[in-house]
Amino acid sequence: VQLQASGGGLVQAGGSLKLSCTTSGVTFSRYHMAWFRQAPGNERVVVAIRRPSGDTHYGDSVKGRFTISVDDAKNTVYLDMNNLKPEDTAIYYCSAGSQFLSRSTMTRSQNYDYKGQGTQVTVSS
């Protein structure tokens, strides 16, 4: 399994970005696909998860602003980020985890088997 994240950059507050995670060796119906983020000095926290069933889960701070989706034909996971805030500044990581993750374990980065390199998102005020 390989994961390649891209799409990060510098944007003003209120702006939008779309992150992409190109995958290989992943069948979306058999994996949890997730975006996590980590700001300097902070732990890695969940941003958005797409479960094998297609259900989605979002961190409280991004609900209503971010959307996770997948394109099976392109083997790609997306994170649409709207109304960005300075506190969204972080390195964003794409991860793939077992289909058997529970609702309590799926929100922890350490429970994901595969992690890609991060992409930096910086939101200026």
Side-chain angles (χ1 to χ4, degrees):
V1 172
Q2 292 186 325
L3 308 173
Q4 180 82 26
S6 62
L10 173 64
V11 64
Q12 287 189 329
S16 300
L17 277 176
K18 184 172 186 174
L19 305 184
S20 299
C21 176
T22 304
T23 74
S24 63
V26 172
T27 302
F28 295 138
S29 61
R30 296 183 179 181
Y31 283 86
H32 282 77
M33 300 303 301
W35 289 95
F36 291 86
R37 68 186 183 189
Q38 188 167 16
N42 292 345
E43 64 180 16
R44 195 169 296 192
V45 298
V46 67
V47 175
I49 302 169
R50 183 194 181 274
R51 307 197 73 185
S53 63
D55 291 344
T56 55
H57 168 90
Y58 296 93
D60 289 341
S61 63
V62 306
K63 284 179 181 176
R65 299 189 297 125
F66 291 12
T67 303
I68 187 171
S69 62
V70 302
D71 184 325
D72 290 287
K74 296 183 178 180
N75 297 315
T76 302
V77 184
Y78 299 102
L79 183 69
D80 280 288
M81 306 185 295
N82 297 305
N83 190 21
L84 282 160
K85 304 176 181 181
E87 51 264 42
D88 294 318
T89 295
I91 300 175
Y92 284 70
Y93 298 90
C94 176
S95 299
S98 166
Q99 62 181 315
F100 301 114
L101 289 174
S102 68
R103 286 192 175 274
S104 62
T105 59
M106 70 179 186
T107 59
R108 298 176 197 147
S109 176
Q110 61 264 38
N111 293 327
Y112 283 72
D113 300 312
Y114 306 101
K115 302 174 179 69
Q117 94 294 351
T119 185
Q120 176 72 48
V121 172
T122 303
V123 184
S124 63
S125 57

